[in-house]
Amino acid sequence: RISAKSRLGEKLTYIHRQWGGLQTFLHDGRVEMDSNAVENLIRPIALTRKNALFAGHDEGGRTWARIASLIATAKINGVEPFAYLKATLEAIAAGHPASRIDELLPWNFTPSS
């Protein structure tokens, strides 16, 4: 038995809390050991999102965060953001069903030219 307040106890508690993620990493070879690469890619967007929250209205900040996240995700997936947003908005305006929204995500986008 080890005291939960000891350094070793704290480390064991941390491992216990992260056990599900560790199991995912061990069973799925596509999962990275750490998220540094993704964190480095989204850091500029996260900073922009936080700055946008001070734009005068909370909902405006949240809306900007959503758009900025889509743009960053498009870039991460090698998709030109303007073409992606234009095609996505046109699809929505043309009646793309909400039940098939996954088709409009950046990693599923294929340019039409």
Side-chain angles (χ1 to χ4, degrees):
R1 294 186 181 251
I2 296 173
S3 169
K5 295 186 180 190
S6 70
R7 287 189 68 171
L8 179 58
E10 290 173 358
K11 304 303 179 198
L12 291 172
T13 300
Y14 176 81
I15 291 170
H16 181 69
R17 281 196 315 262
Q18 303 299 323
W19 192 252
L22 177 61
Q23 291 299 308
T24 301
F25 167 74
L26 293 173
H27 294 294
D28 188 344
R30 298 171 297 170
V31 177
E32 296 287 334
M33 176 74 103
D34 62 45
S35 59
N36 288 343
V38 173
E39 289 174 10
N40 289 337
L41 286 170
I42 66 170
R43 185 171 291 116
I45 296 304
L47 292 173
T48 301
R49 183 200 67 221
K50 287 180 182 177
N51 292 337
L53 292 175
F54 295 100
H57 193 274
D58 289 348
E59 190 54 39
R62 284 189 283 275
T63 300
W64 169 246
R66 291 179 189 114
I67 293 169
S69 294
L70 280 174
I71 291 169
T73 303
K75 288 180 181 179
I76 289 169
N77 285 278
V79 173
E80 199 281 311
F82 179 78
Y84 165 71
L85 289 173
K86 182 177 183 290
T88 300
L89 291 173
E90 287 173 349
I92 292 169
H96 188 88
S99 62
R100 294 182 11 225
I101 197 75
D102 287 353
E103 296 171 6
L104 299 179
L105 295 173
W107 48 84
N108 293 328
F109 177 73
T110 51
S112 61
S113 53

mmCIF file with all atom_site columns, all heavy atoms in Angstrom, residues 80-96:
data_model
loop_
_atom_site.group_PDB
_atom_site.id
_atom_site.type_symbol
_atom_site.label_atom_id
_atom_site.label_alt_id
_atom_site.label_comp_id
_atom_site.label_asym_id
_atom_site.label_entity_id
_atom_site.label_seq_id
_atom_site.pdbx_PDB_ins_code
_atom_site.Cartn_x
_atom_site.Cartn_y
_atom_site.Cartn_z
_atom_site.occupancy
_atom_site.B_iso_or_equiv
_atom_site.pdbx_formal_charge
_atom_site.auth_seq_id
_atom_site.auth_comp_id
_atom_site.auth_asym_id
_atom_site.auth_atom_id
_atom_site.pdbx_PDB_model_num
ATOM 1   N N   . GLU A 1 80 ? -7.158  23.482 -49.309 1.00 0.00 ? 80 GLU A N   1
ATOM 2   C CA  . GLU A 1 80 ? -7.128  24.937 -49.371 1.00 0.00 ? 80 GLU A CA  1
ATOM 3   C C   . GLU A 1 80 ? -8.383  25.470 -48.674 1.00 0.00 ? 80 GLU A C   1
ATOM 4   O O   . GLU A 1 80 ? -9.510  25.153 -49.076 1.00 0.00 ? 80 GLU A O   1
ATOM 5   C CB  . GLU A 1 80 ? -7.081  25.365 -50.846 1.00 0.00 ? 80 GLU A CB  1
ATOM 6   C CG  . GLU A 1 80 ? -6.594  26.787 -51.061 1.00 0.00 ? 80 GLU A CG  1
ATOM 7   C CD  . GLU A 1 80 ? -7.662  27.813 -50.801 1.00 0.00 ? 80 GLU A CD  1
ATOM 8   O OE1 . GLU A 1 80 ? -8.771  27.659 -51.333 1.00 0.00 ? 80 GLU A OE1 1
ATOM 9   O OE2 . GLU A 1 80 ? -7.392  28.763 -50.054 1.00 0.00 ? 80 GLU A OE2 1
ATOM 10  N N   . PRO A 1 81 ? -8.222  26.260 -47.607 1.00 0.00 ? 81 PRO A N   1
ATOM 11  C CA  . PRO A 1 81 ? -9.363  26.667 -46.773 1.00 0.00 ? 81 PRO A CA  1
ATOM 12  C C   . PRO A 1 81 ? -10.477 27.400 -47.524 1.00 0.00 ? 81 PRO A C   1
ATOM 13  O O   . PRO A 1 81 ? -11.654 27.119 -47.297 1.00 0.00 ? 81 PRO A O   1
ATOM 14  C CB  . PRO A 1 81 ? -8.741  27.568 -45.710 1.00 0.00 ? 81 PRO A CB  1
ATOM 15  C CG  . PRO A 1 81 ? -7.328  27.118 -45.621 1.00 0.00 ? 81 PRO A CG  1
ATOM 16  C CD  . PRO A 1 81 ? -6.954  26.709 -47.021 1.00 0.00 ? 81 PRO A CD  1
ATOM 17  N N   . PHE A 1 82 ? -10.136 28.336 -48.418 1.00 0.00 ? 82 PHE A N   1
ATOM 18  C CA  . PHE A 1 82 ? -11.182 29.090 -49.108 1.00 0.00 ? 82 PHE A CA  1
ATOM 19  C C   . PHE A 1 82 ? -12.034 28.154 -49.962 1.00 0.00 ? 82 PHE A C   1
ATOM 20  O O   . PHE A 1 82 ? -13.267 28.232 -49.942 1.00 0.00 ? 82 PHE A O   1
ATOM 21  C CB  . PHE A 1 82 ? -10.586 30.204 -49.968 1.00 0.00 ? 82 PHE A CB  1
ATOM 22  C CG  . PHE A 1 82 ? -11.636 30.982 -50.705 1.00 0.00 ? 82 PHE A CG  1
ATOM 23  C CD1 . PHE A 1 82 ? -12.390 31.945 -50.045 1.00 0.00 ? 82 PHE A CD1 1
ATOM 24  C CD2 . PHE A 1 82 ? -11.892 30.736 -52.042 1.00 0.00 ? 82 PHE A CD2 1
ATOM 25  C CE1 . PHE A 1 82 ? -13.388 32.652 -50.715 1.00 0.00 ? 82 PHE A CE1 1
ATOM 26  C CE2 . PHE A 1 82 ? -12.883 31.439 -52.725 1.00 0.00 ? 82 PHE A CE2 1
ATOM 27  C CZ  . PHE A 1 82 ? -13.624 32.395 -52.056 1.00 0.00 ? 82 PHE A CZ  1
ATOM 28  N N   . ALA A 1 83 ? -11.390 27.275 -50.726 1.00 0.00 ? 83 ALA A N   1
ATOM 29  C CA  . ALA A 1 83 ? -12.136 26.334 -51.573 1.00 0.00 ? 83 ALA A CA  1
ATOM 30  C C   . ALA A 1 83 ? -13.022 25.435 -50.718 1.00 0.00 ? 83 ALA A C   1
ATOM 31  O O   . ALA A 1 83 ? -14.175 25.154 -51.083 1.00 0.00 ? 83 ALA A O   1
ATOM 32  C CB  . ALA A 1 83 ? -11.164 25.491 -52.397 1.00 0.00 ? 83 ALA A CB  1
ATOM 33  N N   . TYR A 1 84 ? -12.485 24.983 -49.581 1.00 0.00 ? 84 TYR A N   1
ATOM 34  C CA  . TYR A 1 84 ? -13.267 24.119 -48.688 1.00 0.00 ? 84 TYR A CA  1
ATOM 35  C C   . TYR A 1 84 ? -14.491 24.849 -48.147 1.00 0.00 ? 84 TYR A C   1
ATOM 36  O O   . TYR A 1 84 ? -15.617 24.341 -48.211 1.00 0.00 ? 84 TYR A O   1
ATOM 37  C CB  . TYR A 1 84 ? -12.396 23.621 -47.534 1.00 0.00 ? 84 TYR A CB  1
ATOM 38  C CG  . TYR A 1 84 ? -13.217 23.050 -46.413 1.00 0.00 ? 84 TYR A CG  1
ATOM 39  C CD1 . TYR A 1 84 ? -13.870 21.834 -46.560 1.00 0.00 ? 84 TYR A CD1 1
ATOM 40  C CD2 . TYR A 1 84 ? -13.394 23.746 -45.223 1.00 0.00 ? 84 TYR A CD2 1
ATOM 41  C CE1 . TYR A 1 84 ? -14.668 21.316 -45.552 1.00 0.00 ? 84 TYR A CE1 1
ATOM 42  C CE2 . TYR A 1 84 ? -14.178 23.241 -44.215 1.00 0.00 ? 84 TYR A CE2 1
ATOM 43  C CZ  . TYR A 1 84 ? -14.814 22.034 -44.379 1.00 0.00 ? 84 TYR A CZ  1
ATOM 44  O OH  . TYR A 1 84 ? -15.609 21.547 -43.383 1.00 0.00 ? 84 TYR A OH  1
ATOM 45  N N   . LEU A 1 85 ? -14.288 26.053 -47.598 1.00 0.00 ? 85 LEU A N   1
ATOM 46  C CA  . LEU A 1 85 ? -15.408 26.803 -47.020 1.00 0.00 ? 85 LEU A CA  1
ATOM 47  C C   . LEU A 1 85 ? -16.449 27.151 -48.082 1.00 0.00 ? 85 LEU A C   1
ATOM 48  O O   . LEU A 1 85 ? -17.654 27.035 -47.846 1.00 0.00 ? 85 LEU A O   1
ATOM 49  C CB  . LEU A 1 85 ? -14.904 28.062 -46.323 1.00 0.00 ? 85 LEU A CB  1
ATOM 50  C CG  . LEU A 1 85 ? -14.132 27.835 -45.029 1.00 0.00 ? 85 LEU A CG  1
ATOM 51  C CD1 . LEU A 1 85 ? -13.549 29.145 -44.518 1.00 0.00 ? 85 LEU A CD1 1
ATOM 52  C CD2 . LEU A 1 85 ? -15.009 27.193 -43.967 1.00 0.00 ? 85 LEU A CD2 1
ATOM 53  N N   . LYS A 1 86 ? -15.987 27.555 -49.269 1.00 0.00 ? 86 LYS A N   1
ATOM 54  C CA  . LYS A 1 86 ? -16.909 27.896 -50.354 1.00 0.00 ? 86 LYS A CA  1
ATOM 55  C C   . LYS A 1 86 ? -17.759 26.687 -50.738 1.00 0.00 ? 86 LYS A C   1
ATOM 56  O O   . LYS A 1 86 ? -18.985 26.774 -50.808 1.00 0.00 ? 86 LYS A O   1
ATOM 57  C CB  . LYS A 1 86 ? -16.113 28.400 -51.559 1.00 0.00 ? 86 LYS A CB  1
ATOM 58  C CG  . LYS A 1 86 ? -16.963 28.822 -52.741 1.00 0.00 ? 86 LYS A CG  1
ATOM 59  C CD  . LYS A 1 86 ? -16.073 29.367 -53.866 1.00 0.00 ? 86 LYS A CD  1
ATOM 60  C CE  . LYS A 1 86 ? -16.868 29.871 -55.037 1.00 0.00 ? 86 LYS A CE  1
ATOM 61  N NZ  . LYS A 1 86 ? -17.519 28.832 -55.814 1.00 0.00 ? 86 LYS A NZ  1
ATOM 62  N N   . ALA A 1 87 ? -17.110 25.551 -50.964 1.00 0.00 ? 87 ALA A N   1
ATOM 63  C CA  . ALA A 1 87 ? -17.846 24.338 -51.361 1.00 0.00 ? 87 ALA A CA  1
ATOM 64  C C   . ALA A 1 87 ? -18.785 23.875 -50.260 1.00 0.00 ? 87 ALA A C   1
ATOM 65  O O   . ALA A 1 87 ? -19.915 23.443 -50.533 1.00 0.00 ? 87 ALA A O   1
ATOM 66  C CB  . ALA A 1 87 ? -16.855 23.233 -51.720 1.00 0.00 ? 87 ALA A CB  1
ATOM 67  N N   . THR A 1 88 ? -18.346 23.974 -49.019 1.00 0.00 ? 88 THR A N   1
ATOM 68  C CA  . THR A 1 88 ? -19.171 23.533 -47.895 1.00 0.00 ? 88 THR A CA  1
ATOM 69  C C   . THR A 1 88 ? -20.402 24.419 -47.736 1.00 0.00 ? 88 THR A C   1
ATOM 70  O O   . THR A 1 88 ? -21.523 23.917 -47.575 1.00 0.00 ? 88 THR A O   1
ATOM 71  C CB  . THR A 1 88 ? -18.347 23.514 -46.604 1.00 0.00 ? 88 THR A CB  1
ATOM 72  O OG1 . THR A 1 88 ? -17.249 22.616 -46.782 1.00 0.00 ? 88 THR A OG1 1
ATOM 73  C CG2 . THR A 1 88 ? -19.175 23.075 -45.423 1.00 0.00 ? 88 THR A CG2 1
ATOM 74  N N   . LEU A 1 89 ? -20.207 25.725 -47.795 1.00 0.00 ? 89 LEU A N   1
ATOM 75  C CA  . LEU A 1 89 ? -21.348 26.644 -47.676 1.00 0.00 ? 89 LEU A CA  1
ATOM 76  C C   . LEU A 1 89 ? -22.313 26.480 -48.847 1.00 0.00 ? 89 LEU A C   1
ATOM 77  O O   . LEU A 1 89 ? -23.536 26.544 -48.668 1.00 0.00 ? 89 LEU A O   1
ATOM 78  C CB  . LEU A 1 89 ? -20.853 28.084 -47.556 1.00 0.00 ? 89 LEU A CB  1
ATOM 79  C CG  . LEU A 1 89 ? -20.138 28.400 -46.249 1.00 0.00 ? 89 LEU A CG  1
ATOM 80  C CD1 . LEU A 1 89 ? -19.541 29.801 -46.297 1.00 0.00 ? 89 LEU A CD1 1
ATOM 81  C CD2 . LEU A 1 89 ? -21.065 28.248 -45.054 1.00 0.00 ? 89 LEU A CD2 1
ATOM 82  N N   . GLU A 1 90 ? -21.778 26.249 -50.045 1.00 0.00 ? 90 GLU A N   1
ATOM 83  C CA  . GLU A 1 90 ? -22.651 26.018 -51.204 1.00 0.00 ? 90 GLU A CA  1
ATOM 84  C C   . GLU A 1 90 ? -23.451 24.726 -51.032 1.00 0.00 ? 90 GLU A C   1
ATOM 85  O O   . GLU A 1 90 ? -24.634 24.674 -51.371 1.00 0.00 ? 90 GLU A O   1
ATOM 86  C CB  . GLU A 1 90 ? -21.818 25.967 -52.490 1.00 0.00 ? 90 GLU A CB  1
ATOM 87  C CG  . GLU A 1 90 ? -21.309 27.329 -52.913 1.00 0.00 ? 90 GLU A CG  1
ATOM 88  C CD  . GLU A 1 90 ? -20.334 27.282 -54.085 1.00 0.00 ? 90 GLU A CD  1
ATOM 89  O OE1 . GLU A 1 90 ? -19.880 26.164 -54.456 1.00 0.00 ? 90 GLU A OE1 1
ATOM 90  O OE2 . GLU A 1 90 ? -20.021 28.352 -54.617 1.00 0.00 ? 90 GLU A OE2 1
ATOM 91  N N   . ALA A 1 91 ? -22.808 23.689 -50.494 1.00 0.00 ? 91 ALA A N   1
ATOM 92  C CA  . ALA A 1 91 ? -23.519 22.423 -50.270 1.00 0.00 ? 91 ALA A CA  1
ATOM 93  C C   . ALA A 1 91 ? -24.638 22.605 -49.249 1.00 0.00 ? 91 ALA A C   1
ATOM 94  O O   . ALA A 1 91 ? -25.746 22.096 -49.438 1.00 0.00 ? 91 ALA A O   1
ATOM 95  C CB  . ALA A 1 91 ? -22.539 21.347 -49.806 1.00 0.00 ? 91 ALA A CB  1
ATOM 96  N N   . ILE A 1 92 ? -24.363 23.342 -48.189 1.00 0.00 ? 92 ILE A N   1
ATOM 97  C CA  . ILE A 1 92 ? -25.386 23.587 -47.164 1.00 0.00 ? 92 ILE A CA  1
ATOM 98  C C   . ILE A 1 92 ? -26.541 24.387 -47.763 1.00 0.00 ? 92 ILE A C   1
ATOM 99  O O   . ILE A 1 92 ? -27.714 24.066 -47.554 1.00 0.00 ? 92 ILE A O   1
ATOM 100 C CB  . ILE A 1 92 ? -24.772 24.291 -45.943 1.00 0.00 ? 92 ILE A CB  1
ATOM 101 C CG1 . ILE A 1 92 ? -23.817 23.330 -45.211 1.00 0.00 ? 92 ILE A CG1 1
ATOM 102 C CG2 . ILE A 1 92 ? -25.858 24.797 -44.997 1.00 0.00 ? 92 ILE A CG2 1
ATOM 103 C CD1 . ILE A 1 92 ? -22.960 24.005 -44.147 1.00 0.00 ? 92 ILE A CD1 1
ATOM 104 N N   . ALA A 1 93 ? -26.205 25.428 -48.542 1.00 0.00 ? 93 ALA A N   1
ATOM 105 C CA  . ALA A 1 93 ? -27.242 26.259 -49.167 1.00 0.00 ? 93 ALA A CA  1
ATOM 106 C C   . ALA A 1 93 ? -28.078 25.454 -50.166 1.00 0.00 ? 93 ALA A C   1
ATOM 107 O O   . ALA A 1 93 ? -29.266 25.723 -50.352 1.00 0.00 ? 93 ALA A O   1
ATOM 108 C CB  . ALA A 1 93 ? -26.610 27.458 -49.865 1.00 0.00 ? 93 ALA A CB  1
ATOM 109 N N   . ALA A 1 94 ? -27.463 24.437 -50.778 1.00 0.00 ? 94 ALA A N   1
ATOM 110 C CA  . ALA A 1 94 ? -28.175 23.607 -51.753 1.00 0.00 ? 94 ALA A CA  1
ATOM 111 C C   . ALA A 1 94 ? -28.993 22.503 -51.089 1.00 0.00 ? 94 ALA A C   1
ATOM 112 O O   . ALA A 1 94 ? -29.617 21.700 -51.764 1.00 0.00 ? 94 ALA A O   1
ATOM 113 C CB  . ALA A 1 94 ? -27.181 23.001 -52.744 1.00 0.00 ? 94 ALA A CB  1
ATOM 114 N N   . GLY A 1 95 ? -28.972 22.456 -49.755 1.00 0.00 ? 95 GLY A N   1
ATOM 115 C CA  . GLY A 1 95 ? -29.817 21.504 -49.046 1.00 0.00 ? 95 GLY A CA  1
ATOM 116 C C   . GLY A 1 95 ? -29.135 20.220 -48.613 1.00 0.00 ? 95 GLY A C   1
ATOM 117 O O   . GLY A 1 95 ? -29.810 19.204 -48.428 1.00 0.00 ? 95 GLY A O   1
ATOM 118 N N   . HIS A 1 96 ? -27.825 20.245 -48.461 1.00 0.00 ? 96 HIS A N   1
ATOM 119 C CA  . HIS A 1 96 ? -27.125 19.039 -47.983 1.00 0.00 ? 96 HIS A CA  1
ATOM 120 C C   . HIS A 1 96 ? -27.762 18.596 -46.659 1.00 0.00 ? 96 HIS A C   1
ATOM 121 O O   . HIS A 1 96 ? -27.908 19.397 -45.743 1.00 0.00 ? 96 HIS A O   1
ATOM 122 C CB  . HIS A 1 96 ? -25.639 19.330 -47.774 1.00 0.00 ? 96 HIS A CB  1
ATOM 123 C CG  . HIS A 1 96 ? -24.835 18.105 -47.472 1.00 0.00 ? 96 HIS A CG  1
ATOM 124 N ND1 . HIS A 1 96 ? -24.283 17.341 -48.457 1.00 0.00 ? 96 HIS A ND1 1
ATOM 125 C CD2 . HIS A 1 96 ? -24.500 17.525 -46.295 1.00 0.00 ? 96 HIS A CD2 1
ATOM 126 C CE1 . HIS A 1 96 ? -23.640 16.333 -47.907 1.00 0.00 ? 96 HIS A CE1 1
ATOM 127 N NE2 . HIS A 1 96 ? -23.756 16.421 -46.598 1.00 0.00 ? 96 HIS A NE2 1
#
